[in-house]
């Protein structure tokens, strides 16, 4: 009798773990310089993105999703740490890391990958890194068990004799940049054959899904494109209505389709959150080889909406109710959301700047209203509260040496004037006062990290 009781107790104790749902997988697909207006589901009339449009139709499409920075390096630091880049020191006058930079994402910063690895996840980085070359900052030092891709942007380490203007050319030389393709820190190919990158990144992710389908996994797929120099594989080159830029985006769309198909094929689609977004707005000075921010003003490098508002699509079939949301959300929300899905508490003694999106994603609950702050380098240029956005300084993304200061700030209503054309500051001193209060509270709580981009 006693033995039977003991057995029953033991069985009761093991039952919850037998029936508990497996921890959800998480995939972040991160494009480089993809604009707000470059996808069919975001209004592009020329670039065909059927896979992303289907992902958006099956998932939740954000109209007001933000990058935490106007350029590559700080944006990536913010995504992986859930913190404004000023806190990690991953922003500044030099704007991004260069091949000769000594700094990088500090080892002490806790990334999504580190937290999820601690929670039993298999972790992989595929694609561009751009967060540092040296010990402590590299993918394998920051929580990724595997890494396959480029150290930095595909336009860095240019050949000395490369003709001026090659980077924005519709037909850039395939061997013009000496950037290397690496696996787990070892060079596989230098220069990397850029026409093959999207395809090879995709194969890598599809294989990883097949291999790890039994265990929870986290994949950070940071595409090289559509950052210039622009390349597409032979299957996509010359096929879009939008030149080589459109070809590159259509290949990225194909890639998303392959990843989602692999999740379905391996039976893990319903247990995988996929989030698709971009690191910053389109690089407009590249002309035909730069994308479009749609009706938003300016692009990459600026704190106008086109520089930082980007596509954001969340997908988890059967869990996320399909729809469109105008809730303000940003990439620093992805870390708290991932930890919440993994059932892991947020790290102690770390100030996070995001919020858990799970109630919005899975229960259609509105988020608590909060301000959003637009930094250019380490300077706060603008702030949004509700539909209102105030600019304290403005500067085009590229080409102007100095910022213009505004006192009183410029004020725009992003609902009625998404293109930021009509300054209504004079009519709304009360709104400016409320925004000033939010900015003061934010500034008082910011402790800048040691600058890494010198
Ligand atoms: Mg970028």
């Amino acid at each position: 009798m006693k033995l039977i009781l003991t057995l029953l107790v033991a069985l009761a104790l093991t039952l919850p773990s037998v029936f508990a749902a497996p921890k959800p997988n998480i995939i972040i697909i991160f494009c480089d310089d993809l604009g707000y207006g470059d996808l069919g589901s975001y209004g592009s009339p020329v670039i065909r993105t059927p896979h992303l449009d289907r992902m958006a139709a099956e998932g939740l499409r954000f109209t007001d999703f933000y990058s935490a920075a106007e350029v590559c390096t700080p944006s990536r630091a913010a995504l992986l740490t859930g913190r404004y880049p000023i806190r990690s020191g991953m922003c500044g006058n030099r704007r991004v890391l260069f091949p000769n930079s000594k700094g990088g994402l500090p080892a002490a910063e806790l990334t999504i990958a580190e937290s999820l690895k601690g929670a039993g996840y298999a972790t992989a980085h595929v694609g561009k890194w751009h967060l540092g070359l040296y010990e402590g900052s590299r993918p394998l030092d920051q929580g990724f068990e595997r890494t396959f891709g480029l150290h930095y942007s595909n336009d860095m380490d240019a050949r000395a004799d490369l003709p001026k203007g090659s980077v924005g050319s519709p037909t850039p030389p395939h061997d013009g940049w000496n950037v290397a393709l690496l696996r787990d820190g070892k060079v596989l190919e230098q220069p990397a054959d850029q026409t093959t990158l999207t395809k090879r990144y995709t194969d890598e992710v599809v294989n990883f899904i097949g291999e790890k389908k039994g265990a929870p996994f986290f994949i950070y797929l940071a595409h090289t494109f559509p950052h210039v120099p622009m390349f597409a594989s032979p299957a996509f080159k010359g096929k879009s209505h939008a030149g080589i830029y459109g070809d590159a985006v259509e290949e990225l769309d194909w890639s998303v389709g392959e990843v989602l198909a692999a999740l379905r094929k391996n039976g893990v689609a319903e247990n995988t959150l996929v989030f698709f977004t971009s690191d910053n707005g389109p690089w407009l000075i590249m002309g035909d080889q730069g994308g479009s921010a749609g009706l938003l003003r300016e692009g990459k490098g600026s704190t106008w909406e086109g520089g930082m508002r980007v596509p954001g699509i969340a997908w988890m079939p059967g869990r996320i109710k399909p729809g469109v949301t105008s809730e303000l959300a940003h990439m620093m929300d992805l870390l708290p959301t991932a930890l919440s899905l993994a059932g892991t508490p947020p790290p102690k003694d770390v100030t996070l700047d995001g919020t858990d999106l799970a109630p919005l994603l899975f229960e259609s609950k509105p988020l608590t209203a909060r301000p959003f702050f637009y930094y250019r380098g380490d300077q706060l240029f603008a702030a949004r509260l509700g539909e209102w956005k105030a600019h304290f300084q403005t500067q085009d993304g590229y080409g102007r040496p100095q910022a213009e200061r505004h006192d009183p700030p410029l004020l725009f209503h992003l609902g009625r004037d998404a293109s930021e054309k009509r300054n209504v500051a004079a009519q709304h001193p009360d709104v400016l006062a409320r925004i000033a209060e939010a900015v003061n509270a934010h500034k008082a709580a910011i402790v800048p990290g040691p600058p890494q981009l010198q």
Side-chain angles (χ1 to χ4, degrees), residues 287-299:
D288 287 355
Q289 276 62 255
S292 164
L295 82 175
L296 305 179
R297 183 164 171 176
E298 252 280 344

Side-chain angles (χ1 to χ4, degrees), residues 6 81 86-87 118-119 155 181 202 206 214 236 278-279 290 312 378 414 448:
T6 312
T81 63
I86 190 165
R87 295 192 195 274
D155 64 336
L181 178 68
T202 307
V206 166
F236 291 88
S278 177
D279 67 336
D378 55 8
L414 295 177

